Amino acid sequence: MISLSDLRKFKAEGRKFSCLTCYDASMAKAMELAEIDTILIGDSLGMAIQGRDSTLPVTVEDMAYHTAAVRRGNAHALIMTDLPFMSYATVEDGLKSAKAVMQVGAQMVKIEGGAWLSDLIQVLTRNGIPVCVHLGLTPQSVHVFGGYKLQARTREAANQLIADCQAVVDAGAAVLLLECVPAQLGKEIAELFPNTPVIGIGAGHETDGQVLVVQDMLGLTFGKVARFVRNFMKEQAGETAIVDAIKAYHAAVQDQSFPAKEHTFQVEL
Ligand code: KIV
């Protein structure tokens, strides 16, 4: 099983690592077979699984349920779980929420923010809970940003983000995750913190690892997708491969070509 030390080793060796979001055991098994290095049980499950329009309604119970399912399906990847909106507003709440997901299989928790998380990061780390800090575009603060937009567009804002990274690393953050920031800043931060693996999503190709929401890269997000998404399903099997398979099933049921003899139990009664 991949550990935090492996991520540090990958960084030292310049070996880039992969991360995908995952919410269930069968997809987790597919990721084990594909040797994905890291899995994020993201609170993006609010949109991808629950059909909501933001991550805000997701609860700690939801995160623990999906973390347990993913852990049962995958014995290879390092598993990191998001602490959802308002579940770490105080240090006590953060400890309680982190305990709930660590006890069902997470190896690390991810929290969104900056320097103001320092006390919580110290307490979690002291209690044996590695922390990934998500900076840049942090979806739990979508209403503060006024939408999902590129962050740190100026030198001044980039320097502020670097200062936040420094503060959380000083407090003990084990991993940084940067979302939707200029590629140059992704590279700078990965270089500035030689002992801290940096994962990017919309942060350029020079971070140490990359993450995507699995539905996005499989073409299962219908409607507008972010510029940083690449649809790998489209390249491998055709843009509508999954919908086409479901359509074919529907048609086969209607014309009775499914189930065929080999799918049925032929017993003389
Ligand atoms: O919840 C999530 O899926 C995330 C990724 C977008 C990084 O935080």
Side-chain angles (χ1 to χ4, degrees):
M1 189 188 296
I2 303 239
S3 66
L4 175 58
S5 333
D6 292 315
L7 297 191
R8 290 188 178 126
K9 190 161 119 282
F10 294 158
K11 174 161 182 142
E13 292 167 350
R15 187 271 213 198
K16 304 289 180 191
F17 60 90
S18 57
C19 181
L20 283 173
T21 67
C22 186
Y23 320 102
D24 67 86
S26 49
M27 191 64 83
K29 178 54 78 179
M31 290 185 193
E32 182 181 279
L33 296 174
E35 298 183 9
I36 292 296
D37 298 309
T38 320
I39 284 177
L40 169 66
I41 293 91
D43 58 359
S44 52
L45 69 83
M47 284 99 109
I49 303 296
Q50 299 175 337
R52 302 181 189 274
D53 60 7
S54 80
T55 60
L56 271 53
V58 176
T59 65
V60 174
E61 289 70 31
D62 293 334
M63 299 310 301
Y65 174 87
H66 289 280
T67 299
V70 169
R71 183 76 287 172
R72 287 192 284 267
N74 189 302
H76 170 72
L78 181 145
I79 289 192
M80 170 162 76
T81 296
D82 267 336
L83 298 190
F85 179 65
M86 289 301 287
S87 71
Y88 51 99
T90 65
V91 169
E92 289 69 31
D93 285 349
L95 257 182
K96 213 168 123 207
S97 307
K99 177 181 172 193
V101 298
M102 295 295 287
Q103 287 191 323
V104 294
Q107 291 158 268
M108 184 179 300
V109 298
K110 177 163 82 58
I111 53 181
E112 297 184 4
W116 60 94
L117 295 171
S118 295
D119 289 348
L120 174 61
I121 295 165
Q122 279 178 19
V123 173
L124 289 171
T125 307
R126 271 207 306 272
N127 281 279
I129 302 173
V131 181
C132 170
V133 179
H134 184 155
L135 305 103
L137 174 57
T138 46
Q140 291 173 14
S141 304
V142 59
H143 297 306
V144 174
F145 296 135
Y148 298 98
K149 301 175 187 160
L150 180 68
Q151 302 297 305
R153 293 158 175 265
T154 61
R155 188 68 252 174
E156 197 188 355
N159 288 345
Q160 179 55 57
L161 199 138
I162 290 171
D164 278 320
C165 289
Q166 187 66 63
V168 298
V169 167
D170 290 346
V175 172
L176 300 174
L177 187 147
L178 304 175
E179 178 165 353
C180 216
V181 299
Q184 186 194 329
L185 184 58
K187 176 179 192 299
E188 279 179 34
I189 292 175
E191 286 172 359
L192 275 169
F193 299 96
N195 301 317
T196 309
V198 177
I199 305 176
I201 175 163
H205 71 282
E206 294 189 84
T207 54
D208 307 304
Q210 294 291 333
V211 60
L212 281 178
V213 170
V214 69
Q215 278 76 6
D216 289 350
M217 58 85 71
L218 292 180
L220 279 175
T221 302
F222 302 99
K224 195 170 179 289
V225 289
R227 176 192 168 97
F228 52 72
V229 168
R230 176 167 155 193
N231 182 343
F232 285 80
M233 178 63 92
K234 179 175 170 181
E235 295 160 27
Q236 296 300 315
E239 179 151 31
T240 54
I242 293 179
V243 176
D244 289 346
I246 296 170
K247 275 188 190 162
Y249 165 72
H250 179 65
V253 169
Q254 287 189 322
D255 69 16
Q256 290 185 283
S257 59
F258 178 83
K261 206 165 178 186
E262 66 268 27
H263 307 120
T264 57
F265 303 97
Q266 304 291 332
V267 179
E268 205 62 53
L269 298 172

mmCIF file of all heavy atoms in Angstrom, residues 21 23 40 42-45 55 82 110 112 134 139 177 179 201 211 213, ligand 1:
data_model
loop_
_atom_site.group_PDB
_atom_site.id
_atom_site.type_symbol
_atom_site.label_atom_id
_atom_site.label_comp_id
_atom_site.label_asym_id
_atom_site.label_seq_id
_atom_site.Cartn_x
_atom_site.Cartn_y
_atom_site.Cartn_z
ATOM 1 N N THR A 21 -10.324 11.009 -7.896
ATOM 2 C CA THR A 21 -11.363 10.888 -6.884
ATOM 3 C C THR A 21 -12.044 9.540 -7.077
ATOM 4 O O THR A 21 -12.035 8.963 -8.169
ATOM 5 C CB THR A 21 -12.429 11.998 -6.999
ATOM 6 O OG1 THR A 21 -13.170 11.826 -8.202
ATOM 7 C CG2 THR A 21 -11.803 13.371 -6.946
ATOM 8 N N TYR A 23 -15.421 7.031 -5.135
ATOM 9 C CA TYR A 23 -16.448 7.040 -4.097
ATOM 10 C C TYR A 23 -17.043 5.664 -3.807
ATOM 11 O O TYR A 23 -17.898 5.543 -2.928
ATOM 12 C CB TYR A 23 -17.581 8.008 -4.496
ATOM 13 C CG TYR A 23 -17.082 9.291 -5.139
ATOM 14 C CD1 TYR A 23 -17.135 9.470 -6.519
ATOM 15 C CD2 TYR A 23 -16.521 10.319 -4.377
ATOM 16 C CE1 TYR A 23 -16.664 10.634 -7.124
ATOM 17 C CE2 TYR A 23 -16.043 11.484 -4.964
ATOM 18 C CZ TYR A 23 -16.117 11.630 -6.343
ATOM 19 O OH TYR A 23 -15.642 12.771 -6.933
ATOM 20 N N LEU A 40 -8.567 10.127 -3.808
ATOM 21 C CA LEU A 40 -9.199 11.147 -2.972
ATOM 22 C C LEU A 40 -10.692 10.864 -2.893
ATOM 23 O O LEU A 40 -11.363 10.817 -3.930
ATOM 24 C CB LEU A 40 -8.977 12.541 -3.589
ATOM 25 C CG LEU A 40 -9.806 13.671 -2.966
ATOM 26 C CD1 LEU A 40 -9.382 13.930 -1.515
ATOM 27 C CD2 LEU A 40 -9.666 14.962 -3.778
ATOM 28 N N GLY A 42 -13.337 12.689 -2.417
ATOM 29 C CA GLY A 42 -13.539 14.136 -2.418
ATOM 30 C C GLY A 42 -14.975 14.471 -2.030
ATOM 31 O O GLY A 42 -15.900 13.695 -2.304
ATOM 32 N N ASP A 43 -15.150 15.657 -1.446
ATOM 33 C CA ASP A 43 -16.529 16.074 -1.175
ATOM 34 C C ASP A 43 -17.218 16.489 -2.481
ATOM 35 O O ASP A 43 -18.405 16.823 -2.480
ATOM 36 C CB ASP A 43 -16.605 17.157 -0.087
ATOM 37 C CG ASP A 43 -15.803 18.398 -0.418
ATOM 38 O OD1 ASP A 43 -15.162 18.442 -1.486
ATOM 39 O OD2 ASP A 43 -15.810 19.341 0.404
ATOM 40 N N SER A 44 -16.482 16.400 -3.601
ATOM 41 C CA SER A 44 -17.106 16.524 -4.927
ATOM 42 C C SER A 44 -18.174 15.447 -5.094
ATOM 43 O O SER A 44 -18.968 15.509 -6.033
ATOM 44 C CB SER A 44 -16.053 16.396 -6.031
ATOM 45 O OG SER A 44 -15.280 15.225 -5.840
ATOM 46 N N LEU A 45 -18.222 14.470 -4.207
ATOM 47 C CA LEU A 45 -19.276 13.464 -4.266
ATOM 48 C C LEU A 45 -20.649 14.122 -4.109
ATOM 49 O O LEU A 45 -21.664 13.563 -4.525
ATOM 50 C CB LEU A 45 -19.048 12.350 -3.236
ATOM 51 C CG LEU A 45 -19.193 12.614 -1.738
ATOM 52 C CD1 LEU A 45 -20.644 12.524 -1.269
ATOM 53 C CD2 LEU A 45 -18.361 11.618 -0.951
ATOM 54 N N THR A 55 -20.508 21.472 -3.005
ATOM 55 C CA THR A 55 -20.048 20.481 -2.021
ATOM 56 C C THR A 55 -20.615 20.777 -0.624
ATOM 57 O O THR A 55 -20.414 19.988 0.305
ATOM 58 C CB THR A 55 -18.497 20.492 -1.931
ATOM 59 O OG1 THR A 55 -18.066 21.801 -1.518
ATOM 60 C CG2 THR A 55 -17.858 20.155 -3.260
ATOM 61 N N ASP A 82 -11.624 14.021 2.158
ATOM 62 C CA ASP A 82 -11.965 15.412 2.463
ATOM 63 C C ASP A 82 -12.748 15.510 3.763
ATOM 64 O O ASP A 82 -13.677 14.722 3.994
ATOM 65 C CB ASP A 82 -12.896 15.964 1.364
ATOM 66 C CG ASP A 82 -12.154 16.664 0.253
ATOM 67 O OD1 ASP A 82 -11.016 17.136 0.488
ATOM 68 O OD2 ASP A 82 -12.713 16.739 -0.854
ATOM 69 N N LYS A 110 -7.978 15.801 4.026
ATOM 70 C CA LYS A 110 -7.737 17.038 3.266
ATOM 71 C C LYS A 110 -8.688 18.115 3.787
ATOM 72 O O LYS A 110 -9.871 17.856 3.978
ATOM 73 C CB LYS A 110 -7.939 16.806 1.769
ATOM 74 C CG LYS A 110 -7.781 18.084 0.940
ATOM 75 C CD LYS A 110 -7.583 17.791 -0.533
ATOM 76 C CE LYS A 110 -8.807 17.532 -1.329
ATOM 77 N NZ LYS A 110 -9.820 18.621 -1.331
ATOM 78 N N GLU A 112 -9.548 22.511 3.434
ATOM 79 C CA GLU A 112 -9.387 23.643 2.521
ATOM 80 C C GLU A 112 -9.078 24.915 3.294
ATOM 81 O O GLU A 112 -9.774 25.212 4.275
ATOM 82 C CB GLU A 112 -10.686 23.850 1.726
ATOM 83 C CG GLU A 112 -11.040 22.677 0.837
ATOM 84 C CD GLU A 112 -12.272 22.944 -0.021
ATOM 85 O OE1 GLU A 112 -12.812 24.077 0.008
ATOM 86 O OE2 GLU A 112 -12.683 22.019 -0.751
ATOM 87 N N HIS A 134 -5.638 22.013 0.881
ATOM 88 C CA HIS A 134 -6.126 22.383 -0.453
ATOM 89 C C HIS A 134 -6.173 23.911 -0.527
ATOM 90 O O HIS A 134 -6.851 24.545 0.284
ATOM 91 C CB HIS A 134 -7.523 21.754 -0.576
ATOM 92 C CG HIS A 134 -8.206 21.919 -1.887
ATOM 93 N ND1 HIS A 134 -9.179 21.032 -2.317
ATOM 94 C CD2 HIS A 134 -8.125 22.841 -2.862
ATOM 95 C CE1 HIS A 134 -9.641 21.402 -3.500
ATOM 96 N NE2 HIS A 134 -9.023 22.519 -3.846
ATOM 97 N N PRO A 139 -13.375 24.827 -3.262
ATOM 98 C CA PRO A 139 -14.814 24.829 -3.570
ATOM 99 C C PRO A 139 -15.728 25.079 -2.369
ATOM 100 O O PRO A 139 -16.841 25.561 -2.550
ATOM 101 C CB PRO A 139 -15.045 23.435 -4.162
ATOM 102 C CG PRO A 139 -13.713 23.030 -4.706
ATOM 103 C CD PRO A 139 -12.703 23.629 -3.781
ATOM 104 N N LEU A 177 -2.353 20.654 -1.997
ATOM 105 C CA LEU A 177 -3.108 20.449 -3.232
ATOM 106 C C LEU A 177 -3.504 21.825 -3.749
ATOM 107 O O LEU A 177 -4.094 22.622 -3.014
ATOM 108 C CB LEU A 177 -4.338 19.578 -2.971
ATOM 109 C CG LEU A 177 -5.120 19.148 -4.225
ATOM 110 C CD1 LEU A 177 -5.742 17.766 -4.037
ATOM 111 C CD2 LEU A 177 -6.196 20.149 -4.618
ATOM 112 N N GLU A 179 -5.503 24.069 -6.583
ATOM 113 C CA GLU A 179 -6.548 23.989 -7.619
ATOM 114 C C GLU A 179 -6.681 25.311 -8.344
ATOM 115 O O GLU A 179 -6.796 26.371 -7.721
ATOM 116 C CB GLU A 179 -7.898 23.604 -6.972
ATOM 117 C CG GLU A 179 -9.030 23.564 -8.002
ATOM 118 C CD GLU A 179 -10.291 22.870 -7.529
ATOM 119 O OE1 GLU A 179 -10.300 22.265 -6.433
ATOM 120 O OE2 GLU A 179 -11.284 22.934 -8.288
ATOM 121 N N ILE A 201 -4.498 20.384 -9.657
ATOM 122 C CA ILE A 201 -5.656 20.211 -10.560
ATOM 123 C C ILE A 201 -5.866 21.593 -11.173
ATOM 124 O O ILE A 201 -6.154 22.564 -10.475
ATOM 125 C CB ILE A 201 -6.902 19.666 -9.813
ATOM 126 C CG1 ILE A 201 -8.120 19.624 -10.754
ATOM 127 C CG2 ILE A 201 -7.223 20.406 -8.528
ATOM 128 C CD1 ILE A 201 -9.271 18.754 -10.270
ATOM 129 N N VAL A 211 -4.437 15.390 -9.941
ATOM 130 C CA VAL A 211 -5.716 14.779 -9.558
ATOM 131 C C VAL A 211 -6.803 15.239 -10.524
ATOM 132 O O VAL A 211 -6.753 16.373 -11.021
ATOM 133 C CB VAL A 211 -6.103 15.126 -8.089
ATOM 134 C CG1 VAL A 211 -6.254 16.612 -7.849
ATOM 135 C CG2 VAL A 211 -7.377 14.397 -7.665
ATOM 136 N N VAL A 213 -11.300 14.618 -11.044
ATOM 137 C CA VAL A 213 -12.541 13.959 -10.621
ATOM 138 C C VAL A 213 -12.805 12.848 -11.631
ATOM 139 O O VAL A 213 -12.779 13.081 -12.839
ATOM 140 C CB VAL A 213 -13.701 14.980 -10.572
ATOM 141 C CG1 VAL A 213 -15.040 14.287 -10.364
ATOM 142 C CG2 VAL A 213 -13.449 16.013 -9.475
HETATM 143 O O1 KIV B 1 -13.539 17.158 -3.763
HETATM 144 C C1 KIV B 1 -12.750 17.004 -4.699
HETATM 145 O O2 KIV B 1 -12.960 16.179 -5.616
HETATM 146 C C2 KIV B 1 -11.538 17.810 -4.728
HETATM 147 C C3 KIV B 1 -10.744 17.795 -5.988
HETATM 148 C C4 KIV B 1 -11.357 18.718 -6.982
HETATM 149 C C5 KIV B 1 -9.329 18.127 -5.746
HETATM 150 O O3 KIV B 1 -11.244 18.462 -3.781
#
